[in-house]
Amino acid sequence: MQPYTQNWTHITEFVMVGFAGVCETRLLFFILFLAMYLFTLVENLAIILVVSLDNQLRRPMYFFLTHLSCLEIGYTSVTVPKMLAGFIGVDGGKSISYAGCLSQLFIFTFLGATECFLLAAMAYDRYVAICMPLRYGALVSWGTCIRLAGACWMVGFLIPILPTYLMSQLIFCGPNVIDHFFCDASPLLALSCSDVTLKETIDFLVSLAVLLASSAVISVSYGNIIWTLLHIRSAAERRKAFSTCVAHLTVVSLFYGTLFFMYVRTKVASSINFNKVVSVFYSIVTPMLNPLIYSLRNKEVKGALSRAFFLKPWKGQ
């Protein structure tokens, strides 16, 4: 941070470096990320369509799964198309306006926070289903599901308001080159001429609060699930009950592992290239893997997909 003088020109747009070190293979990376993006869209749209049309999947667990797929589509679409435009060098592909950059940051944070709370709601659903099966219909009614999903989206929307407002109050006077493939908070703070201490602290506290609150619900839910499973005498019943949680646990591990690494820290400066790799993982790779994890680990989803696309139902259905 440098002392601000009135002679500096305020930045009106940013230029995103993206993956500058892959100039010779940028076409290959463009094809790779485009394929991953299209695959992510197809997978998640298929999940939404199948759950909406198949009566056998009209249950809370799959209701939350459709919301998860909507989130995956949303926050890949807010970053990947701009990144792809930068790879092929179309006009304005690497540049983004100041307002557009803040909007991208807001939407990405909003969708990421919403996913944290949605994964917590899904953990609660599994807890009630396994630990209190006789009360499941009363505790996880359709009204409750709608309220939980609505709360996840609403709180997720509120989370980035203060951090984005504080970002808008910072002065950016040059250079305007963001060493990232989207407008994330850390590379933006590195460009600011203002004192970023308050902004950095608020970002840390907000990220920590979101991750701790949602992960606490998940931890308590699975702690109770494990305790209940240990008291089930039949090993076959234990395996059957826990198998309904494997996909969710896998998604949670992938998502939270990268988020804790990226956002629960106060230093702006770190290994930028390594940060990009981690960002690719949680913003592109994880949304592509999640539908596969749920469909490959879930016989009901596999059966519904086969019925939807006029294929012979898979074995085990």
Side-chain angles (χ1 to χ4, degrees), residues 7 34 199 230 241:
N7 293 328
L34 176 62
K199 164 64 177 160
L230 290 175

Side-chain angles (χ1 to χ4, degrees), residues 25 30 59-60 64 77 109 179 208 252 255 261 267 305 309 313:
T25 56
F30 171 80
R59 300 211 300 276
F64 290 125
S77 296
T109 308
D179 196 1
L208 188 65
V252 165
F255 188 71
F261 175 83
K267 281 191 176 182
L305 286 169
F309 295 101

Side-chain angles (χ1 to χ4, degrees), residues 30-48 69 72-73 76-77 80 84 283-293 295-296 305 309:
F30 171 80
I31 294 171
L32 174 64
F33 285 125
L34 176 62
M36 292 171 68
Y37 176 57
L38 294 177
F39 191 48
T40 299
L41 293 182
V42 170
E43 287 178 303
N44 284 288
L45 286 172
I47 292 289
I48 294 170
S69 290
E72 309 286 28
I73 291 171
T76 52
S77 296
V80 177
L84 293 175
S283 63
I284 302 174
V285 177
T286 302
M288 181 186 69
L289 292 179
N290 286 351
L292 287 176
I293 292 169
S295 60
L296 292 177
L305 286 169
F309 295 101

Side-chain angles (χ1 to χ4, degrees), residues 189 196-205 266-268:
L189 291 179
V196 299
T197 304
L198 175 61
K199 164 64 177 160
E200 207 175 11
T201 303
I202 293 297
D203 280 357
F204 172 78
L205 293 177
T266 56
K267 281 191 176 182
V268 172

Side-chain angles (χ1 to χ4, degrees), residues 261 265 268-277:
F261 175 83
R265 44 185 192 166
V268 172
S270 57
S271 176
I272 294 174
N273 288 329
F274 190 58
N275 285 356
K276 290 180 188 177
V277 173

